[in-house]
Amino acid sequence: MDRLKINQEKIDKKTAEKLIELCPFNAFEYKNNKLEINAACKMCKLCVKKGPPGAVEYIKEEETGIDKSLWKDIAVYVEHSRQKIHPVTYELIGKARELASKSGYKVYCLMLGFSIFESAEELLYYGPDEVFIYDYKELQSFKIEPYTAAFEDFINNIKPSVILVGATTTGRSLAPRVAARFKTGLTADCTYLDIKENSDLVQIRPAFGGNIMAQIITPNCRPQLATVRYKVMESSKRMPEKNGRVTVCSMDVNKLQSNIAYISIAHKEIEENISETEIIVVAGRAIKTKKDMSLAYELAEVLGGSFAGTRPLVESGWIDSKKQIGLSGRTVKPKLIITLGVSGAVQFTAGMKSADYIFAINKDPEAPIFSVAHYAVVGDIYEIVPKLIEDIKIAKSTQPSTQYHVPVFE
Amino acid sequence: MNIIVCIKQVPGTSKVKVDPQTGVLIRDGIDSKMNPYDLYALETALKLREQYGGKVMVISMGPPQAVDVIKEAYLMGADDGILLSDKKFAGADVLATSYALSQGILQFKDFDLIITGKQTTDGDTAQVGPEIAEYLKIPHISNVIRIIKATDKYILLDMDLPEYTGTVKVLFPCLITVEKDIFQPRLPSYKKKIATMDRPIKILGIAHMDDKNEKNYGLAGSPTQVERIFPPDEKFDREIWTGSGESLAEKMTEKLKELKFI
């Protein structure tokens, strides 16, 4: 068990104040000439690294860890709605293959549902070594208890070292449940994954609600679970021939009981999904009034794309939450994205930085958005965008083009 | 119906940055507030109480100053509150946080329903609700978008799935995580400020839990470890354009043409 130790003999009022100032999480308390760490501590260890030498010590105590060699291979949870496989699955298989070639592990898929054999065969074109399916009536619709029970059965039998789950609504409901059952770690919304020689999964994600990335490992527990959002990893390509095999698993059906009953299921209304469009114009906080949102609408329209917004605009009710880009909204991977006065918090950029071309317009030359932009346009959106819309209209009228037609703007 | 709502105090701003030279976190103001998504959870509970009676209790985990978030919940109408605060909770990841909260929840006498927000704005993981449900061995439904009705045995609601919305009946006890906009949260009432001034807030530590084993809490009970924190990658090929609005608009149009977007 690792912990922080405060060497009280090195603490006086001055060093205490210094440490209190240094800690970004307000986790130090100085009372009766004694310095203590409270529950706000996130173990960032800044007090150890940057504080007065020797004042705070990081004590690493040996774990009687698990035998990691008993846990092998990489499993991908197959997200699907009634046999229709969600494309995030192919992206996870792509990533799993990459990790597998580094570690020598095999890649497995786990699919839960009813009448799913054929869809499971389709997965074999994307490169897993084996697809394990649990095909039961009780698993026809997503219910948390039977899905967790089948997942548990799979883990107990296969003992995968790494499990990747798509961060869809169901994935984000199921993965934590499974992680808690095995009392193991789960890292949400990873933007980067790698594997160490000792089989520890290196997981990187935006953290602490700010412009910070955290590298996270699960050193003493197996399996290691991570969720990844759709459109973050590179998809595995469909091969002309299938490989590997489908294995049908059986389990005790008594474990598939549930206290949840479906009354009905409704298709969602077909709505524009910004995750699927190729050109996106994003409005940010520099837009001063709701009326000025027309800058974004019009620019999107002349480019034949969609418009979207950042969290502050959604919170002020200027834009629908389905059009929010970022960790609390959608992740997008369009060909072109133009941001209008978006400052670029990491929560936002994590949702769009894999776009092919990013143009960012912002008055502030220090705006963090410029660190992900290919074209950092330093200027006022109110001066640039109206002129830009005019220029594009002129360019289009003089030079009709058929390159991109994305008729999704409503 | 007795309802427990899990709430969290989060930083008021998201302007935490890392100094690229020194690697030190820069904190811009230290004001904090209730996680905005929790307001929807609390509002859902208050609406259910109005319709079906019962009590609304809130629970949070955090440093001693997090009592403020419980007080805020009292101002909105919560009846009772617990703050889990103990030095030994420090450094808790999702699993250890969920475990502590589930142990804290057991200290309320009984409950039918637990409600959490969709996620927090500082962690953004959306994992704590489902993990609490697992530890309490009760079913959970994530992404609830509408409550249709409740009886003394079950709750009927709509949930959001990737391709569908489902109407489901869930037996009590259960946990739900609610989407933003399920109800419009009420504002804190200043009349209640006087009424709730003396309302106690229980502050509990490991000593008050059923499970008193320190190894299950805080850093010791956390399977994940933060190896390092760093500013987002800034090594990147990019062009920086400056000039008048007009010239910048022209330059963008030219580039968009060259890239065949126009």
Side-chain angles (χ1 to χ4, degrees):
Chain A
M1 151 190 176
D2 300 356
R3 61 191 169 90
L4 293 177
K5 185 181 162 216
I6 299 176
N7 293 317
Q8 298 292 348
E9 71 279 5
K10 296 202 174 159
I11 303 293
D12 54 27
K13 194 154 178 284
K14 221 175 129 200
T15 47
E17 272 167 10
K18 205 167 169 191
L19 285 163
I20 289 169
E21 177 56 34
L22 185 67
C23 175
F25 304 108
N26 258 346
F28 284 110
E29 282 172 45
Y30 189 58
K31 271 188 272 181
N32 308 325
N33 298 324
K34 207 174 165 219
L35 189 70
E36 292 190 335
I37 298 174
N38 70 26
C41 173
K42 297 257 192 278
M43 281 309 267
C44 71
K45 292 174 242 165
L46 269 179
C47 49
V48 181
K49 290 178 201 152
K50 309 282 175 188
V56 184
E57 242 182 296
Y58 181 61
I59 310 280
K60 207 172 162 66
E61 281 166 18
E62 271 312 300
E63 285 282 338
T64 50
I66 46 126
D67 184 355
K68 291 179 190 175
S69 68
L70 297 178
W71 296 80
K72 287 191 292 232
D73 306 322
I74 302 166
V76 170
Y77 173 72
V78 179
E79 175 73 51
H80 69 104
S81 286
R82 309 254 152 148
Q83 293 98 18
K84 195 180 140 215
I85 293 167
H86 192 292
V88 70
T89 309
Y90 303 124
E91 297 175 357
L92 295 181
I93 294 174
K95 186 42 115 182
R97 284 249 62 97
E98 201 186 302
L99 298 174
S101 65
K102 232 176 143 171
S103 57
Y105 281 166
K106 287 196 163 103
V107 174
Y108 302 134
C109 285
L110 167 65
M111 190 169 183
L112 313 175
F114 185 52
S115 304
I116 52 174
F117 192 85
E118 265 175 50
S119 327
E121 291 239 291
E122 171 62 18
L123 286 165
L124 296 176
Y125 288 98
Y126 290 86
D129 295 288
E130 194 164 351
V131 179
F132 295 88
I133 66 171
Y134 288 77
D135 200 336
Y136 289 98
K137 185 94 180 57
E138 289 85 345
L139 298 170
Q140 180 162 27
S141 298
F142 179 74
K143 291 184 194 171
I144 197 66
E145 313 100 307
Y147 266 64
T148 311
F151 213 132
E152 179 186 10
D153 188 83
F154 167 77
I155 293 173
N156 283 334
N157 289 326
I158 303 302
K159 295 207 168 13
S161 176
V162 174
I163 299 174
L164 305 181
V165 179
T168 61
T169 44
T170 41
R172 294 179 105 190
S173 180
L174 180 60
R177 191 97 199 188
V178 172
R181 186 154 301 182
F182 286 86
K183 297 193 168 43
T184 188
L186 164 62
T187 307
D189 297 332
C190 297
T191 53
Y192 173 91
L193 291 170
D194 197 0
I195 195 160
K196 294 187 185 182
E197 243 171 66
N198 68 357
S199 82
D200 283 355
L201 186 67
V202 177
Q203 307 157 108
I204 295 181
R205 76 178 302 257
F208 306 137
N211 280 309
I212 303 171
M213 305 299 286
Q215 178 169 324
I216 297 165
I217 51 168
T218 309
N220 302 309
C221 296
R222 292 290 182 271
Q224 312 167 82
L225 278 91
T227 66
V228 180
R229 292 203 165 204
Y230 178 35
K231 299 253 174 185
V232 170
M233 302 295 177
E234 213 47 61
S235 182
S236 173
K237 298 272 174 293
R238 194 179 194 277
M239 300 177 298
E241 300 289 327
K242 59 181 178 184
N243 244 314
R245 61 185 178 141
V246 176
T247 301
V248 182
C249 306
S250 61
M251 65 178 287
D252 178 2
V253 288
N254 291 318
K255 291 186 175 161
L256 299 176
Q257 304 307 314
S258 176
N259 279 346
I260 300 169
Y262 275 80
I263 309 299
S264 62
I265 278 181
H267 282 269
K268 281 192 194 169
E269 283 167 41
I270 306 242
E271 56 192 24
E272 179 192 330
N273 180 351
I274 52 169
S275 299
E276 304 292 342
T277 56
E278 301 202 321
I279 297 177
I280 301 177
V281 175
V282 191
R285 225 192 305 217
I287 303 253
K288 289 179 194 139
T289 66
K290 190 170 180 182
K291 201 171 134 262
D292 295 344
M293 290 291 290
S294 61
L295 289 175
Y297 303 154
E298 278 181 39
L299 183 57
E301 191 173 15
V302 294
L303 286 168
S306 304
F307 67 91
T310 57
R311 181 143 81 190
L313 297 197
V314 173
E315 280 175 358
S316 54
W318 293 0
I319 198 162
D320 189 273
S321 62
K322 294 192 178 69
K323 291 187 180 290
Q324 182 192 332
I325 292 177
L327 276 191
S328 46
R330 309 271 170 141
T331 307
V332 296
K333 203 175 171 182
K335 290 201 162 65
L336 168 67
I337 198 161
I338 301 179
T339 67
L340 310 182
V342 174
S343 61
V346 73
Q347 310 295 99
F348 170 77
T349 56
M352 50 69 79
K353 66 179 178 192
S354 43
D356 293 353
Y357 293 100
I358 300 171
F359 287 72
I361 309 178
N362 200 304
K363 259 203 298 208
D364 175 9
E366 302 292 316
I369 187 72
F370 289 145
S371 64
V372 299
H374 303 88
Y375 301 99
V377 184
V378 185
D380 187 338
I381 53 168
Y382 284 93
E383 287 170 20
I384 298 170
V385 179
K387 178 77 167 64
L388 180 61
I389 293 167
E390 280 316 301
D391 287 356
I392 293 171
K393 278 184 186 162
I394 292 164
K396 279 196 151 174
S397 63
T398 54
Q399 179 209 26
S401 159
T402 52
Q403 286 296 333
Y404 284 96
H405 278 292
V406 194
V408 286
F409 186 73
E410 55 208 358
Chain B
M1 185 184 333
N2 289 329
I3 306 168
I4 295 172
V5 183
C6 301
I7 57 178
K8 184 184 184 188
Q9 194 175 47
V10 297
T13 65
S14 58
K15 284 184 186 151
V16 189
K17 284 184 198 159
V18 181
D19 183 319
Q21 258 85 52
T22 60
V24 173
L25 284 159
I26 306 163
R27 185 174 42 170
D28 238 4
I30 45 160
D31 44 323
S32 45
K33 57 176 184 183
M34 191 189 301
N35 172 38
Y37 294 105
D38 297 345
L39 296 170
Y40 300 97
L42 186 50
E43 183 62 37
T44 305
L46 296 170
K47 282 272 181 349
L48 285 167
R49 185 185 64 186
E50 278 164 19
Q51 210 169 347
Y52 303 102
K55 270 175 75 178
V56 171
M57 300 160 282
V58 293
I59 186 166
S60 187
M61 179 170 110
Q65 59 266 33
V67 288
D68 290 347
V69 82
I70 309 265
K71 284 185 192 152
E72 196 182 332
Y74 284 174
L75 295 186
M76 283 177 73
D79 301 296
D80 195 4
I82 288 181
L83 174 68
L84 304 177
S85 197
D86 191 316
K87 282 182 295 177
K88 306 249 163 57
F89 292 151
D93 72 353
V94 168
L95 194 82
T97 302
S98 310
Y99 187 67
L101 284 168
S102 71
Q103 283 285 313
I105 284 167
L106 292 177
Q107 307 313 310
F108 287 111
K109 289 284 173 291
D110 67 323
F111 64 89
D112 303 294
L113 178 65
I114 301 170
I115 309 180
T116 74
K118 170 194 164 123
Q119 62 197 54
T120 58
T121 52
D122 61 343
D124 264 321
T125 71
Q127 294 171 350
V128 170
E131 295 207 354
I132 291 172
E134 171 65 21
Y135 277 125
L136 295 172
K137 298 193 167 52
I138 58 174
H140 80 264
I141 300 281
S142 292
N143 307 96
V144 171
I145 46 180
R146 190 164 73 103
I147 309 269
I148 299 164
K149 71 164 188 176
T151 70
D152 55 349
K153 295 269 188 307
Y154 66 85
I155 187 162
L156 190 65
L157 41 81
D158 282 345
M159 65 169 176
D160 191 32
L161 294 170
E163 307 251 332
Y164 305 93
T165 56
T167 303
V168 293
K169 188 170 117 177
V170 195
L171 300 184
F172 290 137
C174 62
L175 180 147
I176 62 175
T177 81
V178 298
E179 281 284 343
K180 183 175 175 298
D181 294 336
I182 181 163
F183 291 110
Q184 185 59 40
R186 66 198 64 193
L187 293 168
S189 145
Y190 287 92
K191 259 190 218 156
K192 288 204 174 75
K193 191 160 193 173
I194 300 157
T196 62
M197 219 157 56
D198 303 320
R199 185 172 298 168
I201 295 170
K202 271 184 231 119
I203 298 182
L204 304 184
I206 291 180
H208 304 93
M209 302 289 138
D210 293 358
D211 176 6
K212 296 179 175 54
N213 186 347
E214 290 176 9
K215 287 202 161 148
N216 294 327
Y217 298 93
L219 184 72
S222 297
T224 62
Q225 279 181 13
V226 176
E227 267 197 313
R228 63 183 181 114
I229 52 176
F230 56 100
D233 192 7
E234 305 211 354
K235 280 181 241 111
F236 203 78
D237 260 346
R238 69 172 172 276
E239 294 181 18
I240 297 168
W241 298 351
T242 52
S244 70
E246 206 165 304
S247 68
L248 289 171
E250 270 169 30
K251 210 163 171 182
M252 280 184 75
T253 311
E254 281 311 307
K255 185 53 86 178
L256 289 171
K257 237 196 264 180
E258 187 190 314
L259 297 171
K260 301 204 182 331
F261 287 109
I262 323 178

